[in-house]
Amino acid sequence: MNKMNRIRRLDQIALRIDLEIEAYRAKSFSNFSLVGTVLLQPAEDAIEVFASDEWLGFDKYIFDDWSPRKKAVEVRLSRSMSKVYIKHIGKWKAVAEFLSLLDPATSTSAAASWDVLWAWWRINGKSFRLLDLPPEVRDLIYEHSYGPCIHPYPDSKTRRLGPRGLTFKAAQSGRELLKINAQISREARDVLFLRSSFRLERYGLIAPLLRNLAQRSRIRRLDLALSHRNYFRLFGLKLAGTRLYYISGRVQALRYMQLTSVALHIAPPSFATESDDFDGACQVTVTKWLLDVAWRWVRGHPVVVTGYVKDGEKSEFEALCKQEERRFASWKLQMHAIGGGTADLTAYDEWLSVADADGEGGIRLDGELVEELPKYEVEGSSTSSHLPPPCHCDVPCTIQTWSAV
Ligand SMILES: [Zn+2]
């Protein structure tokens, strides 16, 4: 029987070496990336190995790995035949030890390392160790696991983000990450707060999300998608001198947060599902009011307006916010330059109110004359306190006549 036929039978020694190589590679990402695929072939001068007449394999194999020179290695089985040893510089070594002594497979290009990473994922997906990956790769994984948008959910059955903190919807992708261990949970949470947008669609979510100071201070992206009425419950509404909705105590939190993005999503017009105050309301009027009352709380943050809003209204408000962002930034620089204390939005608000009281329209910042900003105030913008605001648009405001941007 020639050697190749023997190989087609079960070469148990080669099989065991293969299994040990795979186990070694699967142990860590660094093992995986350093030890490439190894092909084993019996050496030309190999002698067949038998145990009690059972053919087991050979005593010498060609170890064909990434290196240019194929190595011929002598092998032997342990007495119990459960382990294979490889002879290396005159000494018998366990396969793992032998592999750890080899020169690493060198591939330095970024594309090649991504290939290795991908192979690692594919081959070892069920048993890979997240913590063996480089931190920046772990961050990418966390980010992809959560997706761009987080739906917080105050429910004791869901996974908490921190003590007395926010919880996720059961269906939130990536929430399992928080259960793995302390380190992964901490890392994943950091990425979650930094990269994901916290979407608030229900009024009841605002308090639990914003009352926890530690949690609130870590959120960077806020995505408000409230109904018309709930926006006014948050920001308040005063028409023709009558206070129709009081400002929520929670809204002040927006001035303490360091946000890299605030999205105001405007709900569509509704005739039956919103509330008595806003069913059948003119969408143009409501949006105008809404942006008016939101202004005081979001000014200085980077703001986008989405949903059922006219392009003109959206771009006007966003431009105003952009201008205010720049104004706040230059004020901050000025404060740092003169060694002023905390230069956050609350300090800015205070400074604004003093500046307004002094009646100084043009305030010099860095020697530049700052233009007086147009007032964006709802007070007095309507002569009637009637809700819902009637629609006198040429095309009446309905869900069919509006589309989202
Ligand atoms: Zn209308």
Side-chain angles (χ1 to χ4, degrees), residues 281-285 389-398 402:
C282 173
Q283 183 78 359
V284 177
T285 308
C391 179
H392 304 298
C393 300
D394 291 344
V395 181
C397 292
T398 66
W402 278 75

Side-chain angles (χ1 to χ4, degrees), residues 29-74:
F29 178 65
S30 97
N31 284 4
F32 184 81
S33 53
L34 294 179
V35 178
T37 312
V38 178
L39 282 174
L40 282 177
Q41 284 175 345
E44 279 302 311
D45 56 347
I47 296 167
E48 293 175 290
V49 176
F50 293 86
S52 325
D53 287 346
E54 189 195 351
W55 180 76
L56 294 175
F58 300 92
D59 70 340
K60 204 170 188 181
Y61 289 87
I62 302 290
F63 201 90
D64 187 4
D65 62 355
W66 57 90
S67 52
R69 197 171 56 87
K70 293 178 184 177
K71 299 179 242 321
V73 293
E74 280 180 60

Side-chain angles (χ1 to χ4, degrees), residues 139 142-143 146-148 150 152 160-163 165-168 178 185-198 208-210 212-222 257-261:
D139 284 358
Y142 302 142
E143 194 179 346
Y146 288 120
I150 292 292
R160 289 189 180 280
L161 276 182
L166 163 83
T167 52
F168 281 149
L178 300 178
S185 170
R186 191 174 57 242
E187 290 179 350
R189 237 193 324 253
D190 285 347
V191 170
L192 169 76
F193 279 109
L194 202 61
R195 311 260 173 87
S196 294
S197 213
F198 284 74
L209 186 75
L210 300 185
N212 182 323
L213 183 65
Q215 181 172 285
R216 185 178 80 197
S217 62
R218 297 175 74 189
I219 294 173
R220 292 289 170 270
R221 293 161 177 271
L222 200 58
M257 295 171 84
Q258 287 176 27
L259 298 169
T260 56
S261 139

Side-chain angles (χ1 to χ4, degrees), residues 245-366:
Y245 286 91
Y246 284 92
I247 298 166
S248 158
R250 299 292 170 206
V251 73
Q252 187 65 37
L254 288 177
R255 305 310 285 160
Y256 290 98
M257 295 171 84
Q258 287 176 27
L259 298 169
T260 56
S261 139
V262 179
L264 295 173
H265 184 86
I266 313 290
S270 150
F271 276 89
T273 55
E274 161 51 85
S275 64
D276 286 349
D277 282 353
F278 296 99
D279 276 339
C282 173
Q283 183 78 359
V284 177
T285 308
V286 167
T287 306
K288 168 107 185 58
W289 289 354
L290 202 156
L291 295 178
D292 279 355
V293 294
W295 165 250
R296 178 182 160 195
W297 306 107
V298 299
R299 65 187 297 182
H301 287 304
V303 180
V304 292
V305 183
T306 64
Y308 293 79
V309 56
K310 296 278 184 211
D311 283 339
E313 197 78 9
K314 169 188 164 70
S315 48
E316 191 190 334
F317 191 77
E318 287 177 358
L320 196 69
C321 290
K322 197 100 212 130
Q323 191 182 346
E324 185 68 357
E325 230 189 296
R326 282 197 292 267
R327 194 186 184 201
F328 172 55
S330 72
W331 173 84
K332 253 201 309 205
L333 280 177
Q334 183 87 345
M335 288 298 115
H336 284 309
I338 62 167
T342 329
D344 62 7
L345 281 172
T346 52
Y348 179 64
D349 290 344
E350 217 169 283
W351 178 84
L352 280 175
S353 69
V354 171
D356 280 353
D358 288 350
E360 291 174 19
I363 292 147
R364 299 186 76 83
L365 289 174
D366 296 334

